[in-house]
Amino acid sequence: MQIVAQIVFLIALVFGISFFVRNIKKMLRNIKLGKTIDRSDNPSERWSKTLRIAFGQSKMVRKPVSGFLHVIVYLGFIIINIEVLEIIIDGLFGTHRVLSFMGGFYNVLIGIFEVLALLVFIGVIIFWIRRNVLNIYRFLSRELKGWPKNDANYILYFEMVLMTLFLVMNAADYQLQINGAVHYAHEGGIIGGFPISQFIAPLFEGLSNSTLIIIERGAWWLHIIGILFFLNYLYYSKHLHILLAFPNVYFSKLKPKGEMDNVEAVKKEVALMMDPNADPFAAPPEGEEEGEPEKFGASDVMDLNQVQLLNSYTCTECGRCTAECPANQTGKKLSPRKIMMDTRDRLEEVGDNINKNGKFEDDGKQLLDDYILREELWACTTCNACVEACPIGIDPLSIILEMRRYLVMEQSAAPNELAVSLTNIENNGAPWPYNQMDRLNWAKEN
Amino acid sequence: MAEAIKVPTMAEYMAEGKKPEVLFWVGCAGSFDDRAKKITKAFVKLLNEAGVDFAVLGTEESCTGDPAKRAGNEFLFQMQAAMNIEVLNGYEIKKVVTACPHCFNTIKNEYPSLGGNYQVMHHTQFLKSLLNEGRLKVEGGKFKGKRITFHDPCYLGRANGEYEAPRDLLKKLEVELIEMRKCKSNGLCCGAGGAQMFKEPEPGNKDVNVARTEQAMETNPEIIAAGCPFCNTMMTDGVKSKEKEDSVAVMDVAEMIANANDL
Ligand code: HEM
Ligand code: SF4
Ligand code: SF4
């Protein structure tokens, strides 16, 4: 019987992990559809930023309530997962509480896990209330309707269930030890600290040992299968952030926020145009034979860079960016969170397309217009409030800019008044129709 | 005060075989916009007062390309940058000061990889350094104790992390500085950036400048201080939309200092 359980456990573990690995590989392949971008500079600065912002949660706590709750859930999750290590060993080798040889320290450890499990449980309930009962601006946007809202709630229910199972398992174990059941009771007294589950145990008092064992084993199995399921749920969820937050912060932009990249392909063309020896009228015929000219800007996910695509998978859909966005606050359609969600949705669609066809077959859709509207793109003031607000180093503005580049350079589709201003800059060096020769007139006026 | 102010050009310096201490980059707004021209002149008066050896490019200056870049026209941006860098490098410019955070950000951050390397300062930073060096004095007098709130320009604050220089200047004026609910890194945009200044806003339920002006009004200010010609226009329009232009002034920090010193 024991050996059967071990084999079932092994199969579940292998199945759960290999499915997860498969999803992660798919995700990496999708990210690599983007253009390469070099973010290998300044590793020490990148590490320290990762330590501060991802491990240290420094930007999370700018919103004290959700920040504090998250620190509990985050720490709780990481620490409680040490317990998973024991569960895996027990499952594979048919042992029970294999780490208990640590004695008093083990008791303290289990005690801490229990306290954290309770705190996580309470934290998650408050998260749920904030999401579903209180009218918090960033949870009310239209892009959260449907799946994103459900996804957020599923995660919270899941955490509640996992924490409950953990505590129930311990409570049953504790009661079994009190009852002196075989395999559970020890010579030296109670093993494990049960500061929380001891209050659940009284519920089990009248039960027979065999019922208790069923409860304890049942909770144990559901707990580990739940964790394996959760692991595989991540890929389909905004909860992928619990893994990606770290690399995402590491690869985020270190330069001043106001600095926007100078497009390399444009540099070459401008150098050519500025070259007094080049004949501007001679170039085109030969130029066309040199193969397809580079596409400027982005109309689809493949035109974005890999960090931008990683950003889209990492986004927690928290909406801190959107809450700070001046365009969104004044009722415009633009929501930086939606920019990230759309990018991920389209990337997934492209990925599925590749899975089905072996390579990407034109599906008549793209990120621009089918997901992100021009009206959204043109509402951005490039104020960087979204970038500043994001607790995990996501840069929605860079995607907006890249898509504007496509609109203007590939499609000449700037809004009318803007197009006029750009023409003014081109013709007379100012966005208004003044003559450049009048540029110093102010000094003569009084 | 009708006397003409002294504004030497780089070409004049060149002709005399001299080099100025710093180039004052005036910018399009500072050159052409009626409101912004006042800021330009106030700043020039302060430069003259402090005995700073400065020059402008005058008719050789052209748009930095900031609105073009942020509108997505990278070509136009890089063309503008190339022309300006050619002029600046031709004059062997080392140090640039500008009263426009957009020009500041572009020349400081985006010109270097295109061949333009200069020390670039925002006028509030430059004025602060003049004060620290004792070259310029600031009189509290006129503004002492006045309720003033400062609107952070996105391209000075969030974009480049400079929040203190303008505030230090205001402190020197002994004003009662009252921060808005949203300030410094959390400051709300005035609505002009990213080339919005040059287009109609998208449909919504409010204009951004009105939303920001409402935040400023919450502090019940006598003056809304600004550090950017575009913010200045936006906030001025916002104050007008609230019909408060008689009780609330929008002033650039440089104008306030010039005004305090009776320049
Ligand atoms: C590694 C373990 C982690 C766990 C278990 C975890 C868990 C959670 C949970 C349950 C939520 C949902 C909260 C809600 O429904 O409102 C959440 C949201 C979030 N997490 Fe994590 N997280 C982890 C790591 C991280 C890290 C390293 C970061 C980086 C700073 C991070 C940033 C966020 C953000 C920005 C949100 C949105 C929260 C908000 O609404 O303010 N998380 N996380
Ligand atoms: S940069 Fe654009 S998207 Fe981001 S907060 Fe500002 S206006 Fe909104
Ligand atoms: S981009 Fe950042 S701030 Fe915006 S929703 Fe995603 S995680 Fe939150």
Side-chain angles (χ1 to χ4, degrees):
Chain A
M1 189 55 207
Q2 179 61 44
I3 190 75
V4 175
Q6 280 169 258
I7 291 170
V8 171
F9 183 85
L10 183 67
I11 293 172
L13 195 66
V14 169
F15 205 75
I17 290 178
S18 50
F19 208 74
F20 173 70
V21 169
R22 214 184 69 146
N23 276 340
I24 293 297
K25 279 195 181 143
K26 206 156 74 184
M27 181 192 82
L28 290 174
R29 182 206 62 196
N30 290 353
I31 288 175
K32 284 190 184 140
L33 295 174
K35 295 183 176 164
T36 52
I37 170 172
D38 186 13
R39 289 273 165 93
S40 60
D41 56 314
N42 293 310
S44 59
E45 199 182 337
R46 291 186 180 283
W47 276 114
S48 91
K49 190 173 176 186
T50 310
L51 278 177
R52 255 181 301 123
I53 293 180
F55 288 96
Q57 304 268 302
S58 61
K59 282 176 103 177
M60 287 299 286
V61 292
R62 284 194 193 168
K63 290 215 178 287
V65 179
S66 60
F68 175 72
L69 291 172
H70 188 272
V71 168
I72 290 177
V73 175
Y74 158 75
L75 283 180
F77 180 85
I78 292 183
I79 296 172
I80 293 169
N81 268 326
I82 301 175
E83 168 71 10
V84 175
L85 203 72
E86 184 182 46
I87 292 187
I88 291 177
I89 301 175
D90 282 349
L92 287 177
F93 300 102
T95 48
H96 182 66
R97 295 196 180 266
V98 68
L99 300 181
S100 59
F101 68 87
M102 292 188 280
F105 179 66
Y106 181 77
N107 297 354
V108 172
L109 212 57
I110 296 290
I112 292 174
F113 294 162
E114 287 213 342
V115 173
L116 280 169
L118 181 69
L119 288 175
V120 169
F121 191 84
I122 296 170
V124 167
I125 287 180
I126 303 176
F127 270 141
W128 187 90
I129 294 173
R130 285 169 54 81
R131 247 172 218 286
N132 297 284
V133 182
L134 307 179
N135 283 330
I136 295 174
Y137 181 78
R138 61 196 172 97
F139 296 140
L140 298 175
S141 315
R142 69 193 162 98
E143 68 262 22
L144 286 192
K145 302 255 149 61
W147 166 249
K149 185 180 163 119
N150 294 339
D151 173 31
N153 281 331
Y154 293 158
I155 292 162
L156 298 178
Y157 299 143
F158 225 90
E159 296 257 2
M160 290 181 211
V161 170
L162 284 182
M163 294 306 125
T164 310
L165 287 170
F166 177 67
L167 290 173
V168 165
M169 174 183 91
N170 279 356
D173 192 324
Y174 178 65
Q175 189 63 37
L176 282 163
Q177 292 193 44
I178 291 176
N179 294 357
V182 201
H183 291 310
Y184 288 90
H186 299 260
E187 311 254 307
I190 304 288
I191 287 284
F194 302 104
I196 308 298
S197 59
Q198 61 177 315
F199 297 105
I200 306 175
L203 296 176
F204 300 151
E205 237 160 57
L207 302 180
S208 68
N209 279 357
S210 53
T211 313
L212 279 173
I213 290 177
I214 291 175
I215 293 174
E216 195 272 342
R217 286 290 87 193
W220 187 93
W221 276 99
L222 285 174
H223 184 71
I224 186 65
I225 288 176
I227 286 175
L228 288 173
F229 179 83
F230 198 51
L231 194 65
N232 281 293
Y233 180 72
L234 295 185
Y235 177 68
Y236 307 96
S237 160
K238 62 159 187 149
H239 223 50
L240 205 43
H241 84 274
I242 73 174
L243 304 174
L244 295 187
F246 304 95
N248 195 75
V249 172
Y250 184 88
F251 289 118
S252 62
K253 171 167 147 185
L254 296 180
K255 293 179 186 150
K257 290 196 180 62
E259 177 174 346
M260 296 174 188
D261 65 313
N262 292 325
V263 180
E264 284 302 323
V266 174
K267 272 192 204 171
K268 275 181 248 148
E269 302 222 3
V270 169
L272 209 70
M273 282 160 97
M274 295 293 287
D275 182 356
N277 299 321
D279 180 354
F281 301 106
E286 293 119 276
E288 273 166 10
E289 285 159 18
E290 280 172 14
E292 227 173 290
E294 195 160 345
K295 174 175 172 182
F296 295 112
S299 62
D300 209 345
V301 285
M302 299 78 108
D303 307 323
L304 295 172
N305 68 46
Q306 297 179 356
V307 168
Q308 290 168 325
L309 298 184
L310 171 65
N311 280 180
S312 79
Y313 275 120
T314 310
C315 176
T316 67
E317 300 171 13
C318 72
R320 291 175 187 223
C321 51
T322 295
E324 295 294 322
C325 173
N328 193 274
Q329 284 178 23
T330 53
K332 277 91 180 168
K333 281 221 174 92
L334 173 62
S335 160
R337 162 172 56 191
K338 179 176 173 292
I339 300 286
M340 301 318 301
M341 293 170 67
D342 285 344
T343 303
R344 178 172 177 175
D345 288 348
R346 172 59 183 161
L347 183 55
E348 275 300 294
E349 186 175 57
V350 169
D352 287 344
N353 182 317
I354 295 176
N355 294 342
K356 212 165 84 214
N357 303 315
K359 65 178 184 32
F360 181 67
E361 302 270 355
D362 189 6
D363 57 356
K365 286 207 218 163
Q366 56 175 3
L367 183 60
L368 179 69
D369 297 334
D370 295 309
Y371 287 83
I372 297 175
L373 307 178
R374 293 162 197 235
E375 183 180 334
E376 296 168 45
L377 297 172
W378 288 119
C380 174
T381 71
T382 71
C383 72
N384 264 305
C386 50
V387 183
E388 178 72 36
C390 182
I392 50 180
I394 290 173
D395 186 350
L397 171 54
S398 70
I399 297 181
I400 295 172
L401 180 67
E402 211 56 62
M403 295 186 74
R404 281 185 175 188
R405 283 175 176 160
Y406 175 82
L407 285 176
V408 173
M409 290 194 282
E410 293 285 342
Q411 306 224 302
S412 306
N416 278 338
E417 313 89 333
L418 184 57
V420 171
S421 295
L422 295 178
T423 309
N424 285 332
I425 295 178
E426 201 170 329
N427 294 339
N428 35 283
W432 301 287
Y434 295 111
N435 193 319
Q436 186 161 2
M437 285 305 124
D438 295 336
R439 229 178 148 97
L440 197 52
N441 288 5
W442 59 270
K444 291 165 220 132
E445 302 159 4
N446 55 61
Chain B
M1 279 179 290
E3 85 244 39
I5 45 174
K6 192 174 124 241
V7 190
T9 63
M10 272 315 297
E12 288 160 16
Y13 264 88
M14 190 76 157
E16 292 175 35
K18 287 194 306 181
K19 278 192 186 146
E21 174 186 343
V22 62
L23 175 89
F24 171 29
W25 183 277
V26 183
C28 298
S31 303
F32 292 122
D33 180 83
D34 284 335
R35 178 68 188 83
K37 282 194 270 190
K38 293 188 184 147
I39 303 171
T40 306
K41 284 184 232 173
F43 182 56
V44 165
K45 285 176 190 165
L46 290 173
L47 290 175
N48 283 333
E49 160 108 338
V52 175
D53 198 13
F54 77 97
V56 299
L57 286 178
T59 56
E60 291 182 277
E61 188 185 281
S62 188
C63 176
T64 58
D66 160 87
K69 184 173 188 95
R70 272 147 262 274
N73 196 335
E74 183 74 9
F75 271 111
L76 182 52
F77 162 71
Q78 290 201 17
M79 289 296 288
Q80 289 298 117
M83 284 189 302
N84 285 323
I85 289 169
E86 200 167 82
V87 173
L88 291 167
N89 287 355
Y91 285 124
E92 294 176 19
I93 301 292
K94 298 276 176 298
K95 190 167 172 181
V96 178
V97 62
T98 174
C100 174
H102 295 267
C103 299
F104 166 71
N105 176 69
T106 304
I107 302 175
K108 172 175 163 289
N109 294 326
E110 290 164 2
Y111 278 17
S113 84
L114 300 171
N117 292 285
Y118 323 100
Q119 185 198 345
V120 189
M121 291 176 95
H122 184 245
H123 70 316
T124 55
Q125 296 173 322
F126 192 73
L127 289 172
K128 186 176 153 185
S129 72
L130 291 179
L131 285 174
N132 290 346
E133 290 160 23
R135 294 169 71 181
L136 186 68
K137 296 241 175 338
V138 174
E139 322 278 340
K142 278 196 191 157
F143 295 100
K144 190 168 179 172
K146 277 200 196 288
R147 291 176 65 88
I148 287 170
T149 191
F150 178 71
H151 164 75
D152 287 279
C154 300
Y155 276 85
L156 182 64
R158 259 193 305 274
N160 288 293
E162 179 62 86
Y163 304 106
E164 295 311 323
R167 287 181 172 76
D168 287 347
L169 295 175
L170 290 172
K171 276 177 207 143
K172 288 273 184 355
L173 287 169
E174 297 172 67
V175 307
E176 187 191 341
L177 180 63
I178 305 154
E179 295 292 357
M180 286 181 243
R181 182 159 56 79
K182 290 280 179 187
C183 65
K184 301 187 180 172
S185 65
N186 294 323
L188 180 67
C189 176
C190 71
Q196 293 296 339
M197 187 76 189
F198 309 107
K199 58 183 272 300
E200 287 301 313
E202 299 359 271
N205 52 31
K206 197 184 264 184
D207 283 333
V208 176
N209 63 328
V210 174
R212 183 52 166 170
T213 305
E214 284 167 1
Q215 292 184 355
M217 291 302 186
E218 284 168 15
T219 68
N220 198 11
E222 291 167 76
I223 296 171
I224 299 172
C228 168
F230 297 104
C231 298
N232 196 308
T233 302
M234 286 307 220
M235 298 306 280
T236 305
D237 288 349
V239 171
K240 278 189 197 140
S241 80
K242 298 279 161 198
E243 297 177 352
K244 282 282 184 339
E245 63 266 37
D246 294 331
S247 54
V248 181
V250 180
M251 291 182 87
D252 191 274
V253 178
E255 288 181 300
M256 292 174 67
I257 297 175
N259 194 304
N261 290 7
D262 280 325
L263 292 174

